[in-house]
Amino acid sequence: MATKWFLEADFLQGCNCDYGCPCEFQAPPTMGFCESTGAWRITNGMFGDICLAGLGIAFAGSWPQAVHLGNGTAMLFVDERATPEQRDALRLILTGEAGGMPFEIIAATVSNMLPIQYVPFEFHLDRRHSRVAIGESVQIGLVPILNARHGSEENVRVVHSGGFLFRSADVVAAKTCDVKVDGLQFAWPNKAGFFAQVRYEN
Amino acid sequence: MTRDQLPIGFGLAAITALGWIFLVRDMDSGTICMLMMSPSSHRWSMAEFGAVFGMWSIMMVAMMIPSASPMILLFATVNRRRQMRGTLFVPTAIFVAGYLVVWTAFSLLATLVQGFLQWAELVTSSMVSASPVLTGVLLILCGLFQWTPLKRRCLEGCSTPLAFMTTHWREGKSGAFTMGLHHGALCVGCCWALMGLLFVAGVMNLWWIGLLSLVVLAEKLAPRVLSKPLGPLLVAGGIWFLI
């Protein structure tokens, strides 16, 4: 039996879809393909008896069609402050090898998994104004969606019992969604973003 | 489709092709033809009942496997990765079996309904609606169903493999079978009314079967474009038959 694990985390996500990201519901991606990145700051988590609290993890990926149709290319990022044991644990969780949702399903859609990067994470967590810098290569910066007429900040929340990455989230704009690593390069400013508190386990 | 999905994809295509070959061949030979020649309102023998039930079951496989394939392929990939890692995995056939059990149960129900309709002479022995009223009612019923919350929920469940897999995943063989049943139930919930339309232009009308299969598939791929607009179209068609 695989080691039991759970994670509770603050989660930031940005992608190339229009606000709201149709892929979260039941429609194909806005542009027909998916380029996205997401980062979790673990507030509480265990892998067996290894504590994971306080660490950052992230992914960046590109899928030629809707994510579930596969053939994705992805890179995983793990906080450089993680000890060798923590690195092992997070690698097993993120690659789906430890079992458990959503990582095992998402990993199944990736056919080209690039080598894991161990980098510093700089989180600035403030719900709809959150941002994160992951090493030199990935930035996600969230801002509220602005009202088209008044320019005032919109407060949009989605509650979605059937969501695959979160069950509820603030729907925001990703002012920055930049990925620049070997094998993956994209920038989608002012597209779909989410901020959520999540819990995953196997 | 990715490379490691090819064997399963090929298998699914083969099952579907066999289903269609059977349907095409059965058009001009076999037990179904005998049925067609007999007077419509006579009571079916067990053999005839079995033949119609068999035909419905095979037709459902031919019609539904293509649109279920994204879900099946995703299930297969997860388990293939587990197999490569040397951890416990479940053969995809078990998931597919659960899915088809639900459609076979639906086929049994469809056979009983067809038997009743033929006995009531609402459907001819060549399995086409004999009554404009029946045709109209079927079209309107199906059209209205397109707009119900039940239809929306089932369509959302069966057209989003990522969300279905992450929220309804179950471990083990019985878990895989249960997931198959669950996915099958969502699909039946989604498509039963469309299947009722088979009586409109003939249960053994290959072009009609093909067209309905395409509608099922297209609705899953582009639910927002097709699902709701189809409702008024069907209702309008139904009213046209009624007046």
Side-chain angles (χ1 to χ4, degrees):
Chain A
M1 188 59 208
T3 311
K4 293 294 287 177
W5 62 266
F6 78 93
L7 293 180
E8 288 168 7
D10 295 313
F11 175 58
L12 294 76
Q13 178 189 322
C15 69
N16 65 318
C17 280
D18 287 342
Y19 293 163
C21 180
C23 314
E24 291 292 338
F25 308 100
Q26 50 160 307
T30 306
M31 302 180 203
F33 62 94
C34 171
E35 290 190 332
S36 55
T37 173
W40 295 265
R41 186 181 177 279
I42 303 169
T43 46
N44 191 8
M46 298 292 284
F47 180 87
D49 52 10
I50 302 168
C51 177
L52 303 168
L55 296 172
I57 48 177
F59 79 93
S62 165
W63 288 262
Q65 291 166 281
V67 174
H68 71 265
L69 294 174
N71 274 329
T73 298
M75 184 175 271
L76 299 170
F77 303 84
V78 169
D79 204 318
E80 64 172 7
R81 294 176 301 143
T83 64
E85 292 77 23
Q86 288 172 322
R87 288 182 186 202
D88 248 7
L90 290 170
R91 177 180 57 79
L92 291 172
I93 292 173
L94 284 168
T95 55
E97 287 179 48
M101 300 304 154
F103 300 111
E104 195 173 5
I105 288 291
I106 294 175
T109 68
V110 174
S111 46
N112 179 18
M113 189 63 89
L114 302 168
I116 297 188
Q117 306 295 305
Y118 297 94
V119 289
F121 279 68
E122 246 178 85
F123 283 98
H124 170 87
L125 294 172
D126 182 14
R127 272 192 62 185
R128 291 178 288 140
H129 296 269
S130 299
R131 56 179 190 269
V132 60
I134 302 158
E136 308 266 284
S137 41
V138 180
Q139 282 90 34
I140 308 171
L142 306 178
V143 292
I145 294 171
L146 297 182
N147 184 292
R149 276 180 62 196
H150 319 109
S152 56
E153 295 186 354
E154 298 274 16
N155 187 355
V156 191
R157 274 192 73 75
V158 56
V159 178
H160 187 203
S161 58
F164 64 95
L165 283 175
F166 49 76
R167 301 285 182 267
S168 67
D170 287 297
V171 181
V172 293
K175 193 179 170 198
T176 6
C177 168
D178 286 2
V179 172
K180 207 178 283 178
V181 292
D182 270 348
L184 274 177
Q185 293 208 356
F186 55 83
W188 295 105
N190 304 312
K191 292 288 184 178
F194 292 99
F195 178 79
Q197 264 140 7
V198 297
R199 184 190 159 90
Y200 308 134
E201 62 194 335
N202 68 347
Chain B
M1 206 183 311
T2 60
R3 239 177 53 196
D4 58 352
Q5 289 176 333
L6 278 178
I8 300 283
F10 183 77
L12 294 175
I15 293 173
T16 309
L18 278 176
W20 282 100
I21 288 168
F22 175 88
L23 290 177
V24 172
R25 282 182 47 138
D26 223 59
M27 289 300 287
D28 33 42
S29 67
T31 39
I32 302 294
C33 248
M34 278 164 42
L35 266 180
M36 287 171 151
M37 281 178 242
S38 54
S40 64
S41 59
H42 92 295
R43 196 183 278 271
W44 282 348
S45 68
M46 276 311 280
E48 287 166 327
F49 183 89
V52 175
F53 174 44
M55 177 211 66
W56 269 97
S57 307
I58 290 168
M59 183 161 63
M60 291 306 107
V61 171
M63 291 180 77
M64 294 312 296
I65 288 288
S67 25
S69 54
M71 191 79 82
I72 297 170
L73 288 171
L74 189 58
F75 180 89
T77 310
V78 170
N79 281 288
R80 189 174 149 64
R81 301 227 165 161
R82 289 186 174 187
Q83 184 184 11
M84 290 189 324
R85 289 200 299 270
T87 46
L88 282 176
F89 71 97
V90 179
T92 304
I94 295 181
F95 178 69
V96 177
Y99 182 73
L100 290 181
V101 160
V102 180
W103 277 106
T104 308
F106 173 83
S107 300
L108 186 62
L109 194 69
T111 307
L112 293 172
V113 169
Q114 183 181 334
F116 170 77
L117 291 175
Q118 270 180 250
W119 171 81
E121 298 191 5
L122 289 168
V123 163
T124 68
S125 55
S126 41
M127 305 181 201
V128 188
S129 168
S131 132
V133 176
L134 175 69
T135 303
V137 168
L138 283 174
L139 285 166
I140 291 174
L141 189 75
C142 184
L144 291 178
F145 183 63
Q146 293 294 109
W147 284 73
T148 58
L150 179 66
K151 169 84 186 193
R152 201 183 59 230
R153 280 190 52 186
C154 288
L155 187 58
E156 177 164 340
C158 75
S159 61
T160 50
L162 278 184
F164 179 81
M165 289 285 168
T166 49
T167 49
H168 298 108
W169 187 268
R170 283 161 184 257
E171 290 298 334
K173 287 180 180 153
S174 65
F177 190 74
T178 312
M179 274 168 71
L181 290 178
H182 189 164
H183 181 39
L186 288 172
C187 272
V188 168
C190 208
C191 299
W192 64 271
L194 282 168
M195 294 304 173
L197 296 187
L198 282 167
F199 291 112
V200 168
V203 176
M204 287 307 281
N205 180 334
L206 273 180
W207 292 106
W208 189 237
I209 301 173
L211 179 71
L212 284 175
S213 309
L214 284 178
V215 169
V216 167
L217 183 63
E219 185 177 57
K220 223 174 249 201
L221 294 177
R224 280 205 273 193
V225 185
L226 200 73
S227 187
K228 287 202 168 167
L230 199 58
L233 263 173
L234 291 169
V235 171
I239 292 170
W240 187 77
F241 269 98
L242 285 180
I243 55 175

